[in-house]
Amino acid sequence: MKCQPTASHFINGQYVEDTAGDVIECVYPATGEVVAKVHSATPAIVDQAISAAQSAQKEWAKLSGTERGRVLKRAAEIMRERNHALSELETYDTGKPMQETLYVDATSGADALEYFGGLAGSLTGEHIPLGEDWVYTKRIPLGVCVGIGAWNYPTQIACWKGAPAMACGNSMIFKPSETTPLCALKVAEILMEAGAPAGLYNVVQGYGDVGGALVTDERVDKVSLTGSAATGKKVYAAAAAGMKHVTMELGGKSPLIIFDDASLEDAIGGAMLGNFYSTGQVCSNGTRVFVQKGIKDAFLKRLKERTEAIKLGDPLDEDTQFGPMVSRNQRDIVMGFVERGKAEGATLVTGGNAIDGDGFYIEPTVFADVTDDMTIAREEIFGPVMSVFEFETEEEVIARANDTDLGLAGGVFTNDIKRAHRVIDLMDAGTCFINSYNDAPVEAPFGGVKGSGVGRENSKAAIEHYSQLKTVYVRMGPVDSPY
Ligand code: NAD
């Protein structure tokens, strides 16, 4: 098999197998071919991973931040050197075209390792003078962290969670999505090569039950999930029962508002990026595109032309712009939404078909005349389906944009600078864009409000979620006790 790893899990610095676990087939989404098989973790494997992470963490936390950072930065360099091979594996794992994976997967993973490696040496507490006494605070690790990934960005998610955790002196057990189990193993291998101690970064495979076993183990101190809002509620509740720290990066139904003074080509480019990149499988996508009445017809005409010119095809061909859905199941879910859209009266502008063959392809799809109560307007589709809504006034569109339980992202296209900031200020969203969409540099906090999650990934903000403060009061004079 093309992508078969040495073994299913990576624990305590080496590949580990336990064939007693259920078989998970890794299917290449472009052809339906099985490219690898791994086994789901048994309770013995989960226990082994947690024990390894626990002992590695104690030693790792004793290193200086600069020493820890050096390992992460070396890992970033190795990832960049191997970008081509890692991108190919990402393409086999997810079906995303090489035109994307070469630029945004291992590279953004390396960015996170480099950025948090750079920060590791400057994670300090503060000194608080109180007359002759004083307080100092120390920034200390949380302990053993569990990362649970979604299937859309397996390398990036493994690094976005691992890099800040390790920079702060924690260890990590990462459970990739069962749909994309391969890439995180390479991240673990590279970290070992870069000098990480055995047990610092472990990977265990499995479905939700394995995630559940990790979340409820009392030796685990923190859980960071990237997944759907429904899974987030379950994982958050399970973590709360053990009073664990959490980061929840969940789904969205984000609005993209386009005013009639916007540059039409830029706005269309932003809307296409925010709906069709990674075949629409991006949590922060701007799937509700509100277009002001005056430019709606011109917008739709040009959007249709540009969408129909998208080059769909073999993801390994670097000219291909648009690959298949990650799995047959996800394709069927998305096609179900397309059918609901048609049945509930939205106008199909282009696309709307699954493509015959063994791969899981769907055409990039645009619906117009979508109303706020339609299923495609309310539920996260997680596929290449753009819904276009018409609006007239700023006040009206803000109210409609915020009428959702989710709040991951949002964007506005306008050339009126005051309006841009006014609209963004009123938008219920954690990650916003002005005249752009879906940029996610490691320097900027990323995350949602409302049902889209808690905590932030990336940037200095992530440090808050992978460390805690110890406060120390120091008295210089006598203790004034009434007893
Ligand atoms: P999912 O919720 O089905 O699964 C996510 C992960 O959780 C998987 O690894 C799964 O095995 C695990 N899991 C499931 N049940 C669990 C349980 N009870 N306990 C512990 N772990 C459990 O999500 P998915 O289908 O893999 O990914 C798509 C979803 O992820 C979308 O909703 C998307 O918006 C969201 N997502 C969010 C972000 C973000 O950063 N906000 C990024 C990518 C994807």
Side-chain angles (χ1 to χ4, degrees), residues 403-446:
D403 182 21
T404 159
D405 295 336
L406 302 171
L408 183 53
V412 58
F413 275 82
T414 174
N415 278 319
D416 177 342
I417 190 169
K418 289 185 182 163
R419 174 156 67 189
H421 293 289
R422 199 165 57 226
V423 170
I424 289 293
D425 273 353
L426 292 171
M427 207 177 252
D428 296 342
T431 308
C432 298
F433 307 91
I434 294 178
N435 293 330
S436 190
Y437 208 83
N438 263 353
D439 316 73
V442 68
E443 295 86 349
F446 179 85

Side-chain angles (χ1 to χ4, degrees), residues 126 216 231 460:
E126 41 170 4
T216 48
T231 302
K460 289 185 222 155

Side-chain angles (χ1 to χ4, degrees), residues 18 20-21 40-50 209-210 213-214 217 219:
D18 182 350
S40 181
T42 55
I45 287 286
V46 169
D47 182 61
Q48 219 175 310
I50 300 176
D209 59 330
V210 173
L214 288 165
D217 193 290
R219 292 167 290 174

Side-chain angles (χ1 to χ4, degrees), residues 132-134 473-480:
E132 63 174 10
D133 295 349
W134 74 89
Y473 191 104
V474 181
R475 183 176 296 281
M476 296 302 284
V479 174
D480 184 16

Side-chain angles (χ1 to χ4, degrees), residues 60 67-77 110 112-114 116-117 120 162-164 166-167 191 194 200:
W60 179 246
E67 288 168 321
R68 293 199 297 265
R70 197 174 298 142
V71 172
L72 302 190
K73 287 193 272 186
R74 210 177 290 142
E77 268 173 41
L113 290 162
E114 184 178 356
F116 288 105
M166 292 182 288
L191 279 159
L200 185 70

